C-alpha cells in the first residue's frame, strides 16, 4: 500500500487532503515555488501538463503565479510528481481562509471533549454549535477548541432563552463528519463513540465519557444512582396502526407499549458504546433500558437511559471519571459520602412526612418521603413497608395511604 493510501485511511488524524476538493489551500511562497518549478521541469509543455494533470492551462498559470490553489489541484500536482501527500506537511499557511494547522489529532483529550460536547448539548448541522447554561462547560469547550485547532474564530452568543452558546468554525463540521459525527439530526443518524476515541488511551476515554455525562447525565441522590439519557429515532419499527391509535398521546411509557414493538427498538449506539467502555476500561457496571417513546408530528423517538446503580460502580465512577460540571460533581460527592447513620426517630420523621404529604393529595409515594427527608429512597421504602406491614399504611399500586389518625 502506498503512503498516500495509508494516510488516507488514518482514523486518528484529519489531514489537509481530507478536505473537500474545492476548498482553498495556501502554501508558503518559497515552498509553492519549489513545487511549481519541479512540475515545470518535469513537463514538456503546458498543454502536455494540462493533459497529464487534468487541470486547465489557466488553472496551472494561476498556480505558477500564486493566485489561487485548491485541494484537488494540489493533489494532482503531487500525484504528477509522485510525491506523498505529507510532502507538504509544515508548509500549509492557510486552509479555507483559516490558519488552522493540519493535520488535526483526533485521539487527544481536547478532541474527546469537543466530540462529547457536540454529541451532548451541541449540533453538527449548517453550523457547528454548543449550548449550555453552565458557564464552566462553555469555557471548557471553548478552551479545548483553541488548544486543539489553534487560534480559530469562535462566536460567543446568548440565545433568546438567555442560554450561552458557541458558534464554532465550519471546518470543525467537516472534521466531525470524518471522525464519525455526521452532519444532521443526531437521533436519526445514530452515531456511536468515534473510533478515534474508542481506540485511544484511557485518559482520553475518561474525558469523553466525563463530558458526555456532564451534558446528558445526572446523579440521582434519592436512589444512589447515576443516570444518562439519549434518544434515537424508531419511526421505522413502529407499526402505522399503532402510531395512528396512539397519535393523541405525546408520551408513551413502557406499560403502554406492546412487547413485540419494544423488542424491535434498539438502544442508541452512543449508549451501547459508552456502556462497553465503562465496563471494559473502568470496571463500572451499568444497565441500559428503554424508558418511553415520544410521538412527534413526523416521527417517533425512543428515550433510553443508562443507569449506574451498583454501589461499588457508583463509587468507581466518582473515583475514575466523575463529573466536571461543578454542581453535579458536588451532588455525586454528597450522595456517596453523606452520613448513613439515620436518626433514632427516623420512623417518627417518616410518619410526620407522610401525614404532611397525604394532607395535600390524599396519598404519598416512597420517593416523596425520601425527597422530603433528603435520604436515599431504598432505606426509606424499606421502613415504609415495615409500617405498612404493621397496618399503619396501606398500598394500592405504588401509592401509599395513611390508615390511622396520628
Amino acid at each position: 500500500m502506498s503512503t498516500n493510501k495509508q494516510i488516507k485511511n488514518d482514523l486518528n488524524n484529519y489531514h489537509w487532503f481530507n478536505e473537500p476538493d474545492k476548498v482553498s489551500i495556501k502554501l508558503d511562497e518559497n515552498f509553492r515555488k519549489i513545487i511549481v518549478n519541479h512540475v515545470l521541469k518535469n513537463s514538456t509543455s503546458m498543454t502536455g501538463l494540462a493533459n497529464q494533470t487534468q487541470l486547465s492551462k489557466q488553472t496551472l498559470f494561476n498556480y505558477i503565479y500564486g493566485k489561487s490553489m485548491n485541494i484537488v489541484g494540489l493533489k494532482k500536482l503531487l500525484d504528477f510528481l509522485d510525491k506523498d501527500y505529507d510532502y507538504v506537511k509544515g508548509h500549509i499557511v492557510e486552509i479555507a481562509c483559516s490558519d488552522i494547522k493540519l493535520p488535526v489529532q483526533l485521539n487527544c483529550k481536547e478532541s474527546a471533549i469537543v466530540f462529547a460536547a457536540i454529541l451532548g448539548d451541541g449540533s453538527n448541522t449548517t453550523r457547528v454549535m454548543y449550548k449550555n447554561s453552565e458557564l464552566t462547560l462553555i469555557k471548557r469547550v471553548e478552551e479545548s477548541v483553541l488548544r486543539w485547532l489553534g487560534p480559530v474564530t469562535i462566536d460567543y452568543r446568548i440565545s433568546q432563552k438567555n442560554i450561552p452558546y458557541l458558534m464554532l468554525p465550519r471546518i470543525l463540521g467537516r472534521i466531525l463528519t470524518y471522525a464519525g459525527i455526521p452532519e444532521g439530526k443526531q437521533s436519526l443518524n445514530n452515531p456511536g463513540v468515534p473510533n478515534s476515541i474508542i481506540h485511544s488511551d484511557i485518559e482520553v476515554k475518561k474525558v469523553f465519557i466525563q463530558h458526555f455525562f456532564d451534558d446528558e447525565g445526572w446523579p440521582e441522590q434519592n436512589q444512589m444512582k447515576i443516570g444518562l439519557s439519549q434518544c434515537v429515532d424508531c419511526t421505522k419499527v413502529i407499526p402505522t396502526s399503532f402510531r395512528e391509535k396512539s397519535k393523541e398521546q405525546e408520551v408513551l411509557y413502557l406499560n403502554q407499549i406492546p412487547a413485540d414493538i419494544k423488542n424491535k427498538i434498539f438502544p442508541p449506539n452512543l449508549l451501547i458504546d459508552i456502556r462497553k467502555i465503562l465496563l471494559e476500561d473502568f470496571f463500572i457496571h451499568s444497565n441500559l433500558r428503554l424508558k418511553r417513546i415520544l410521538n412527534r408530528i413526523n416521527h417517533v423517538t425512543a428515550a433510553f437511559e443508562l443507569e449506574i446503580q451498583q454501589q461499588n460502580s457508583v463509587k468507581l465512577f466518582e473515583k475514575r471519571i466523575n463529573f466536571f460540571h461543578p454542581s453535579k460533581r458536588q451532588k455525586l460527592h454528597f450522595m456517596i459520602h453523606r452520613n448513613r447513620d439515620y436518626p433514632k426517630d427516623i420512623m417518627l420523621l417518616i410518619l410526620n412526612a407522610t401525614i404532611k404529604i397525604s394532607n395535600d393529595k390524599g396519598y404519598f409515594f416512597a420517593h416523596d418521603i425520601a425527597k422530603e427527608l433528603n435520604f436515599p429512597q431504598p432505606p426509606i421504602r424499606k421502613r415504609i413497608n415495615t409500617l405498612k406491614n404493621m397496618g399503619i399504611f396501606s398500598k394500592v399500586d405504588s401509592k401509599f395511604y395513611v390508615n390511622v389518625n396520628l
Side-chain angles (χ1 to χ4, degrees):
M1 181 183 289
S2 71
T3 304
N4 281 348
K5 288 183 179 179
Q6 286 177 341
I7 57 180
K8 279 181 182 178
N9 296 324
D10 183 1
L11 296 179
N12 290 329
N13 293 280
Y14 184 83
H15 298 266
W16 67 267
F17 49 80
N18 296 129
E19 284 280 90
D21 285 349
K22 294 183 179 180
V23 167
S24 64
I25 184 168
K26 185 177 180 180
L27 305 176
D28 70 61
E29 190 62 14
N30 289 335
F31 190 74
R32 181 192 64 78
K33 289 179 180 179
I34 291 173
I35 288 182
V36 168
N37 289 336
H38 198 178
V39 167
L40 292 176
K41 187 182 293 186
N42 284 272
S43 59
T44 55
S45 66
M46 290 299 290
T47 300
L49 182 59
N51 289 333
Q52 284 182 279
T53 60
Q54 296 185 323
L55 296 171
S56 70
K57 284 194 281 187
Q58 182 60 54
T59 296
L60 289 169
F61 278 117
N62 286 340
Y63 292 173
I64 291 171
Y65 294 112
K67 289 186 177 181
S68 64
M69 184 179 288
N70 60 19
I71 297 295
V72 68
L74 180 55
K75 284 181 179 178
K76 288 182 176 180
L77 292 184
L78 293 175
D79 289 341
F80 174 77
L81 295 173
D82 197 26
K83 293 288 187 182
D84 295 334
Y85 290 161
D86 59 3
Y87 177 64
V88 302
K89 184 177 180 181
H91 298 284
I92 298 172
V93 175
E94 187 177 278
I95 294 272
C97 300
S98 168
D99 56 0
I100 182 174
K101 302 300 180 185
L102 296 178
V104 169
Q105 188 179 354
L106 303 180
N107 59 345
C108 60
K109 289 184 179 180
E110 290 77 14
S111 65
I113 289 170
V114 175
F115 291 163
I118 300 304
L119 289 167
D121 285 330
S123 64
N124 181 18
T125 52
T126 53
R127 288 297 305 269
V128 183
M129 180 271 294
Y130 178 69
K131 181 185 293 184
N132 204 300
S133 57
E134 175 53 56
L135 291 178
T136 304
L137 299 185
I138 286 284
K139 184 178 180 182
R140 188 190 201 196
V141 171
E142 181 180 17
E143 291 177 348
S144 295
V145 170
L146 294 174
R147 285 197 305 270
W148 183 37
L149 302 183
V152 295
T153 301
I154 299 176
D155 293 334
Y156 183 94
R157 303 182 185 182
I158 304 292
S159 73
Q160 292 181 345
K161 295 182 179 180
N162 203 34
I163 300 175
Y165 68 98
L166 304 173
M167 297 295 287
L168 301 168
R170 291 184 184 275
I171 191 172
L172 179 54
R174 302 194 288 274
I175 295 173
L176 291 168
T177 299
Y178 180 82
I181 306 172
E183 183 177 324
K185 193 172 179 62
Q186 187 170 302
S187 62
L188 191 60
N189 289 330
N190 193 19
V193 174
N195 278 329
S196 59
I197 304 300
I198 289 177
H199 298 292
S200 63
D201 63 49
I202 196 165
E203 287 299 314
V204 172
K205 293 177 184 179
K206 170 191 168 180
V207 293
F208 176 89
I209 290 177
Q210 182 185 66
H211 197 95
F212 195 72
F213 269 88
D214 284 334
D215 279 358
E216 304 295 326
W218 65 93
E220 199 160 313
Q221 298 181 77
N222 291 330
Q223 297 188 37
M224 189 65 171
K225 181 181 89 172
I226 301 169
L228 179 69
S229 65
Q230 190 73 2
C231 292
V232 64
D233 190 286
C234 62
T235 309
K236 293 181 180 179
V237 301
I238 306 296
T240 304
S241 58
F242 182 76
R243 285 192 66 186
E244 188 64 29
K245 181 181 177 181
S246 61
K247 65 181 180 180
E248 300 300 324
Q249 295 175 267
E250 184 176 343
V251 181
L252 291 168
Y253 295 96
L254 295 185
N255 60 358
Q256 299 171 292
I257 308 170
D260 62 320
I261 294 179
K262 283 190 282 190
N263 292 335
K264 294 177 182 177
I265 304 175
F266 295 102
N269 290 328
L270 258 175
L271 295 190
I272 293 173
D273 289 345
I274 288 174
R275 186 186 184 204
K276 185 177 180 182
I277 293 171
L278 284 172
L279 182 60
E280 294 183 356
D281 292 275
F282 299 95
F283 307 104
I284 295 171
H285 293 266
S286 61
N287 298 311
L288 189 50
R289 295 189 178 95
L290 173 66
K291 287 294 183 177
R292 65 191 74 86
I293 60 175
L294 311 171
N295 274 324
R296 306 304 188 195
I297 295 175
N298 297 316
H299 66 281
V300 183
T301 300
F304 280 82
E305 188 173 305
L306 183 148
E307 301 170 332
I308 303 172
Q309 287 183 297
Q310 290 184 15
Q311 190 174 92
N312 185 56
S313 287
V314 172
K315 291 179 179 179
L316 280 177
F317 182 90
E318 183 194 35
K319 180 180 179 181
R320 298 181 177 177
I321 299 174
N322 214 330
F323 290 96
F324 188 84
H325 190 296
S327 64
K328 292 180 181 180
R329 188 182 188 97
Q330 185 178 26
K331 288 177 181 178
L332 177 62
H333 181 82
F334 173 79
M335 181 175 79
I336 293 173
H337 300 284
R338 65 184 159 192
N339 190 347
R340 294 295 176 186
D341 294 330
Y342 295 96
K344 294 180 180 179
D345 61 346
I346 184 64
M347 289 299 210
L348 181 59
L349 293 174
I350 290 173
L351 287 170
N352 288 337
T354 58
I355 292 169
K356 174 184 174 182
I357 293 172
S358 295
N359 284 340
D360 290 336
K361 56 185 181 182
Y363 60 87
F364 66 89
F365 294 103
H367 65 78
D368 290 333
I369 309 305
K371 184 176 181 180
E372 177 72 17
L373 298 177
N374 198 26
F375 286 121
Q377 186 174 323
I380 296 299
R381 179 182 294 277
K382 181 178 178 180
R383 287 166 172 82
I384 289 174
N385 283 326
T386 297
L387 293 170
K388 179 180 75 71
N389 294 335
M390 294 168 61
I392 296 174
F393 302 145
S394 58
K395 184 179 181 183
V396 178
D397 295 327
S398 57
K399 295 178 182 179
F400 290 90
Y401 298 85
V402 178
N403 292 336
V404 296
N405 294 320
L406 299 172

